[in-house]
Each structure stands twice: as C-alpha cells, then as structure tokens.
Amino acid sequence: MDPNENEQASVPVQAVRRGIMRMARRLRSERALGSLSSNKLSVLGTLSRLGPLPAGVVAEVERQRPQSLSRIFAELALEGFISRERSEADRREHILSITDAGRAALAADLAQRDAWLADALKKLSPTERGVLELAADIMERMAMDDAALEAIDEQARRSDSTA
C-alpha cells in the first residue's frame, strides 16, 4: 500500500473515532448527578438486551475480566437490580438476570439522555436520521467482538440442551 493510500484511509477512521468519542462524552454529560456508574449501566444494558447470562459471558461481552466485574455484580445484586442464580448446567456458575428494579433504573438513566438525543435528532433531515440509524446498527456489531458473540451462542446452545 502506498503511503498516500494509508493516509487517506486514516482520515475516515479519525473522523469516525472523533465523532463517536464526542457523542459519548455529550451523552455522558446529559446524565444526572448520582446516576449509576457506567459499568453498572453497561451490565444492566447487556442483561436487558441479551437476557439472562452467566457472569463470565457478561464479562466477555463487556470486554472485562470476571474478577473486575465481581464487585459490580455484587453491588447490583445488593441494590436489587440483578438476580444471581446457580446454573443448572454448571453449579459453579452464576446466571445473572436483570430485575424489574434494574429495568426501571436503566430506563430512568436512558430517559435523561434519550430526551437530549431526541431533541438533537429532530434538527436533522429524515435522510440524516436514517444514516444514523444504519450507523448505530453497524457500530453495535463492531463493538461486539467475535469472542463475545461466540460466548453468547455457546450459552444459547447450552440452554437449549438443558431445556
């Protein structure tokens, strides 16, 4: 690859990275003081989207070590936002599930940021909103690495075999 091609390829990469980082920073700034931590919200969001999962799979999806999240899991359970049950397939493993209180906490946090985002989206054309909707799907896939997807598929297979 010639140096000009490499330089040209990095321009869209930099623009996408910069746009994602600025948007993430802006969305974080729309959260109320005293909101749940980003780690807690991320775990609740994962369990809300994907359903009950072993702690290790949640850690893989979150791209963290299970040991790093064990305190977060314990705090969320203590707050009543998740439940932890022993796996029927492997008694050493805990299956995490979001509770109704966890869904409510997640929804309240998301509502604050969604209100700002809805107002911002109203200022865009229908085409621009459509492009962002497509980009959101693409970024969601990009953020989920192959190992996390495989772990989710494996959990689904194990759940099917015990049902």
Side-chain angles (χ1 to χ4, degrees):
M1 178 182 274
D2 97 33
N4 285 340
E5 281 183 43
N6 196 20
E7 189 174 309
Q8 289 172 348
S10 70
V11 171
V13 168
Q14 292 169 0
V16 169
R17 177 185 36 78
R18 191 172 42 254
I20 290 169
M21 291 176 73
R22 285 184 177 163
M23 181 60 74
R25 199 173 309 124
R26 180 61 193 262
L27 286 170
R28 274 193 306 272
S29 76
E30 296 299 323
R31 296 177 60 218
L33 291 175
S35 296
L36 292 171
S37 72
S38 295
N39 263 350
K40 288 181 179 181
L41 289 170
S42 189
V43 167
L44 290 175
T46 293
L47 293 173
S48 178
R49 276 190 324 278
L50 302 177
L53 293 170
V57 173
V58 173
E60 279 189 60
V61 170
E62 295 299 317
R63 299 185 63 129
Q64 296 191 43
R65 292 187 321 245
Q67 303 88 323
S68 301
L69 288 176
S70 61
R71 183 179 53 80
I72 298 296
F73 296 153
E75 289 174 4
L76 286 170
L78 188 64
E79 293 167 326
F81 295 152
I82 65 170
S83 64
R84 299 194 305 184
E85 305 289 330
R86 291 249 181 240
S87 168
E88 293 298 320
D90 182 348
R91 301 300 290 170
R92 298 169 295 176
E93 188 173 65
H94 282 97
I95 304 298
L96 307 179
S97 302
I98 190 169
T99 64
D100 289 341
R103 278 189 186 79
L106 180 62
D109 187 88
L110 293 175
Q112 295 165 350
R113 290 177 282 168
D114 286 354
W116 172 82
L117 189 54
D119 284 342
L121 289 171
K122 286 178 190 171
K123 298 172 186 169
L124 302 178
S125 72
T127 301
E128 289 170 320
R129 287 191 300 272
V131 168
L132 285 178
E133 190 174 333
L134 288 172
D137 289 340
I138 293 166
M139 287 186 291
E140 189 75 31
R141 284 197 324 262
M142 289 172 65
M144 186 83 72
D145 68 9
D146 292 338
L149 291 170
E150 288 173 21
I152 292 166
D153 289 343
E154 175 61 25
Q155 176 59 29
R157 283 191 295 276
R158 287 175 36 202
S159 294
D160 290 343
S161 69
T162 59

